[in-house]
């Protein structure tokens, strides 16, 4: 009979519409089971069943909304194996036939006799426990099959089962080894004394553990760490043997190598210690080394670091990693990884003094003892100042080139060099106000001068025409956006890639009526949307030989009128909210 402790692990769904009967039986069920979920009809019961773990259902047959048979049918659709006990005052044949079809476990007539109900519960609980045990054993078997090599052999030593792992590692299929002695491929590598001890243990119904050396079907050596267990019946009679093994071929090979090296090291330990010190000396010469204790206080600085700093080691007494970095956020970032026993790679600018700034490519790492405990931290670095400064010089050259090219594009039309510079500064300010990062805003500032670079491909007869353009001429003029885009679209440089976007999209309009592609709203890249506002404002406010600059009020009225049509409304609002900054830029860069 089932253990009562097992019943206390089960959850029961009890369904009964008669309140008096429900109260009486619920108290009894509460003493038997872990949790009893009560429902007054089939509909409520189905909702509970879909949300809770239920092991057994006890339900009345005649209920409102959904009766017991319909409810049972729906429950069986969800879980065909769930045990169900139906209770009823009716004995109609159709109900009994339907219950049989649904594989209902028990069918009790009211009034319910508790002894009969208990017998039914114990019988069903036995099945539940057996089913759970079977599932658990299947999981154990699957886990063993997945991770271990399994062989079964009979009392004569003949193989009657091998799993996939055995076939995979040894190269032998079950059909090839069936009825062969389990040690057929190990005789040449495992001593006969090993098998004598194995059989001695097994004959005494004891477990044998040890290593088995064997060869695969391709004559490659393997080593198994094996446990062989006698399988017995209720009378302690041996039925067969189960051998579960783990493949330790690689570990065993490594062990042999290490043993050989250990023997060798007995003869040349002094030589190896010398080499270790030589490695350390070479590292000290070639790299910057800083040691920190567990509180990130400096414990040592090598000569390479002191040479760069042009300071003595005494000047760093009581200093910490934070004192070297001089950056709270960077310090927190590095420390966070080190505390989690992770390494951190970072190029860091160190200001040794006002005139001496160095870029060091550092790797910060925890140092462990033999118990895998962190005992200190080590920073190993290389001076990459020359490379970084060269990179900065390249970037500066790129910026100058972009600004010059932008000016060339404008000068071919009727603008001034200062126009592109003002547009760049307006764009940067507006990008920051809009919420773009410093990196994005700076990238836009560098790219926006290229918005009209495509005009270098427009004929002078159109570009410098004094009168109104014809529709054909206007279509040619519009191609400057595509010309500018095509100039830089294949570049992998961030600045030039951004320049292609600005050139392509600064004439797109918020309502989708712009050109060249008729993009709408946020389909237009934010760089294009910002540049459009900056470019139009500067063009309207600037006096040229062919036109008078507009007043601020005129520009404001025009741009607010075009808000939501040509321009993103949020950008127009932000631009005029910061008009003081705009006018200050305008004043500092007069034509």
């Amino acid at each position: 009979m089932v253990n009562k402790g097992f019943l206390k692990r089960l959850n029961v769904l009890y369904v009964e519409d008669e309140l008096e009967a429900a109260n009486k039986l619920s108290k009894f069920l509460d003493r038997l089971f872990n949790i009893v979920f009560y429902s007054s009809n089939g509909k409520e019961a189905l909702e509970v069943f879909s949300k809770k773990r239920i092991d057994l259902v006890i339900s009345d047959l005649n209920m409102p909304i959904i009766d017991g048979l319909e409810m049972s049918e729906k429950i069986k659709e969800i879980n065909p194996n769930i045990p169900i006990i139906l209770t009823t005052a009716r004995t109609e044949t159709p109900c009994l036939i339907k219950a049989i079809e649904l594989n209902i476990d028990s069918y009790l007539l009211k009034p319910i006799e508790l002894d009969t109900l208990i017998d039914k519960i114990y019988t069903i609980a036995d099945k539940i426990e057996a089913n759970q045990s079977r599932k658990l054993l299947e999981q154990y078997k699957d886990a063993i099959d997945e991770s271990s090599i399994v062989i079964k052999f009979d009392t004569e030593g003949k193989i009657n089962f091998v799993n996939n792992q055995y076939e995979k590692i040894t190269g032998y299929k079950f059909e090839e080894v069936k009825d062969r002695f389990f040690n057929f491929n190990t005789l040449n590598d495992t001593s006969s004394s090993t098998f004598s001890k194995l059989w001695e243990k097994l004959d005494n119904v004891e477990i044998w553990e040890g290593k088995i050396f064997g060869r695969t079907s391709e004559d490659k050596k393997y080593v198994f760490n094996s446990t062989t267990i006698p399988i017995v019946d209720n009378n302690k009679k041996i039925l067969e043997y189960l051998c579960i093994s783990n493949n330790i071929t690689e570990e065993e090979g490594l062990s042999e190598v290490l043993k050989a090296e250990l023997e060798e090291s007995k003869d040349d330990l002094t030589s190896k210690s010398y080499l270790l010190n030589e490695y350390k000396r070479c590292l000290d010469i070639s790299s910057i080394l800083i040691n920190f204790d567990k509180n990130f206080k400096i414990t040592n600085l090598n000569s390479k670091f002191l040479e760069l700093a042009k300071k003595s080691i005494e000047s760093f007494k009581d200093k910490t990693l934070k004192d070297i970095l001089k950056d709270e956020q960077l310090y927190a970032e590095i420390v966070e990884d080190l505390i989690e026993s992770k390494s951190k790679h970072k190029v860091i600018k160190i200001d040794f003094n006002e005139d001496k700034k160095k870029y060091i490519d550092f790797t910060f790492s925890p140092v462990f003892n033999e118990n895998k405990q962190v005992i200190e931290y080590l920073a190993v670095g290389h001076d990459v100042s020359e490379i970084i400064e060269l990179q900065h010089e390249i970037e500066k050259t790129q910026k100058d080139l972009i600004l010059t090219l932008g000016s060339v594009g404008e000068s071919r039309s009727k603008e001034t060099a200062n126009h592109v510079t003002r547009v760049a500064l307006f764009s940067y300010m507006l990008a920051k106000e809009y919420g773009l990062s410093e990196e994005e805003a700076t990238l836009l500032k560098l790219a926006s001068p290229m918005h009209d670079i495509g005009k270098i491909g427009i004929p002078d007869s159109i570009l410098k025409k004094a009168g109104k353009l014809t529709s054909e001429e206007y279509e040619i003029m519009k191609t400057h956006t595509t010309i500018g885009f095509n100039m830089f679209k294949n570049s992998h440089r961030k600045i030039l890639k951004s320049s292609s976007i600005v050139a392509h999209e600064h004439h797109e309009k918020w309502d989708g009526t712009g050109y060249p592609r008729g993009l709408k709203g946020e389909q237009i890249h934010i760089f294009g949307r910002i540049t459009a506002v900056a470019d139009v404002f500067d063009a309207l406010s600037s006096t040229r030989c062919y036109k008078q600059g507009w007043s601020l009020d005129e520009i404001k009225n025009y741009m607010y009128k075009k808000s939501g049509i040509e321009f993103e409304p949020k950008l127009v609002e932000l631009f005029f909210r910061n008009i003081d900054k705009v006018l200050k830029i305008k004043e500092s860069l007069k034509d």
Side-chain angles (χ1 to χ4, degrees), residues 162-423:
V162 296
N163 71 341
N164 290 337
Q165 286 291 331
Y166 177 91
E167 292 181 343
K168 180 180 175 182
I169 292 169
T170 66
Y172 288 105
K173 297 293 183 184
F174 174 60
E175 294 75 16
E176 298 175 85
V177 299
K178 186 176 183 296
D179 294 331
R180 298 183 72 172
F181 286 103
F182 82 97
N183 57 350
F184 76 94
N185 59 334
T186 59
L187 292 174
N188 294 333
D189 298 89
T190 308
S191 66
S192 57
S193 63
T194 298
F195 291 109
S196 296
K197 291 175 183 176
L198 180 148
W199 281 112
E200 185 180 339
K201 285 270 191 182
L202 297 183
D203 288 341
N204 291 324
V205 198
E206 296 177 9
I207 295 172
W208 177 85
E209 294 178 311
K211 292 179 184 177
I212 294 179
F213 297 82
R215 293 190 176 276
T216 69
S217 61
E218 296 179 349
D219 205 34
K220 293 181 180 177
K221 186 175 181 179
Y222 67 75
V223 185
F224 289 169
N225 198 16
S226 299
T227 300
T228 304
I229 307 163
I231 306 299
V232 298
D233 61 13
N234 292 333
N235 299 317
K236 299 294 182 183
K237 180 183 177 182
I238 297 174
L239 301 175
E240 60 181 356
Y241 302 100
L242 177 66
C243 180
I244 300 174
S245 306
N246 293 311
N247 185 11
I248 59 168
T249 307
E250 289 186 9
E251 292 89 335
E252 192 70 17
L254 179 60
S255 175
E256 293 301 320
V257 170
L258 292 175
K259 285 178 184 177
E261 286 194 356
L262 182 62
E263 289 300 317
E264 182 184 343
S265 69
K266 291 177 182 178
D267 299 325
D268 62 355
L269 183 59
T270 303
S271 173
K272 290 191 176 180
S273 296
Y274 171 77
L275 285 175
L276 187 62
N277 285 325
E278 279 297 288
Y279 290 144
K280 185 176 180 300
R281 185 181 68 82
C282 291
L283 182 65
D284 195 45
I285 291 171
S286 63
S287 305
I288 296 162
L289 302 178
I290 310 174
N291 297 76
F292 306 95
D293 65 18
K294 292 176 70 176
N295 296 316
F296 300 98
K297 183 180 176 181
I298 296 170
T299 56
N300 186 54
L301 296 156
N302 77 333
S303 57
K304 192 82 172 175
F305 180 88
L306 296 173
E307 184 182 318
L308 278 178
K310 297 195 181 304
K311 293 182 180 179
S312 65
I313 196 167
E314 287 75 19
S315 62
F316 291 94
K317 186 180 180 183
D318 298 325
K319 298 290 185 183
T320 66
L321 174 59
K322 187 187 291 186
D323 295 317
I324 288 178
L325 298 177
K326 298 177 183 176
D327 184 324
E328 290 274 355
Q329 186 175 345
L330 180 60
Y331 173 76
E333 181 186 336
I334 293 170
V335 165
E336 182 181 1
D337 277 358
L338 290 176
I339 287 175
E340 293 180 1
S341 298
K342 299 177 185 175
S343 294
K344 184 72 173 180
H345 179 255
K346 203 82 175 176
V347 175
I348 295 170
K349 183 176 77 169
I350 298 181
D351 298 333
F352 289 113
N353 53 55
E354 289 184 3
D355 301 323
K356 195 169 185 62
K357 295 179 178 64
K358 289 289 183 181
Y359 292 90
I360 312 296
D361 188 353
F362 269 121
T363 298
F364 298 87
S365 302
V367 178
F368 303 95
N369 62 13
E370 65 275 10
N371 298 318
K372 299 296 182 181
Q373 297 169 322
V374 176
I375 54 173
E376 66 170 346
Y377 300 102
L378 176 66
V380 180
H382 302 278
D383 183 4
V384 292
S385 302
E386 188 175 339
I387 297 169
I388 297 293
E389 285 164 5
L390 179 59
Q391 183 178 330
H392 288 169
E393 185 61 32
I394 291 170
E395 288 175 357
K396 182 177 181 300
T397 303
Q398 285 180 353
K399 293 172 189 177
D400 292 343
L401 176 62
I402 292 287
L403 201 57
T404 302
L405 280 173
S407 300
V408 168
E410 297 297 350
S411 65
R412 282 214 64 234
S413 54
K414 299 167 185 177
E415 304 298 342
T416 69
N418 277 349
H419 168 68
V420 294
T421 307
R422 289 194 297 265
V423 169

Side-chain angles (χ1 to χ4, degrees), residues 4 25 66 68 76 119 125 164 265 303 309 326 335 359 372 384 404 471 475 490 572 587:
K4 289 183 180 180
L25 193 56
I66 296 178
K76 287 288 187 177
D119 286 344
N164 290 337
S265 69
S303 57
K326 298 177 183 176
V335 165
Y359 292 90
K372 299 296 182 181
V384 292
T404 302
S471 58
E475 288 302 315
N490 295 321
V572 174
E587 180 64 25

Side-chain angles (χ1 to χ4, degrees), residues 479-544:
T479 63
H480 80 276
T481 56
T482 307
I483 293 169
F485 170 69
N486 288 333
M487 287 174 67
F488 304 116
K489 68 178 182 181
N490 295 321
S491 175
H492 298 294
R493 299 281 183 184
K494 284 185 179 180
I495 298 175
L496 298 181
K497 201 76 174 173
S498 301
S499 298
S500 72
I501 293 169
V502 169
H504 206 202
E505 300 186 15
H506 73 289
H507 280 298
E508 300 286 0
K509 295 182 180 180
W510 186 254
D511 67 353
T513 61
Y515 64 87
R517 292 183 292 163
L519 301 180
K520 184 178 181 180
E522 292 188 358
Q523 290 178 334
I524 309 166
H525 195 287
I526 185 59
F527 285 4
R529 297 182 339 241
I530 289 174
T531 304
V533 172
D535 183 35
V536 169
F537 176 84
D538 195 70
L540 293 176
S541 62
S542 300
T543 297
R544 295 286 178 265

Side-chain angles (χ1 to χ4, degrees), residues 13 39 41-51 66 70-72 74-75 78:
L13 174 58
S39 297
N41 61 68
K43 183 180 178 183
E44 287 181 9
L46 286 171
E47 290 176 359
V48 173
F49 189 83
S50 66
K51 296 176 182 177
I66 296 178
E70 186 180 351
M71 179 204 72
S72 297
K74 292 183 182 298
I75 285 176
I78 299 170

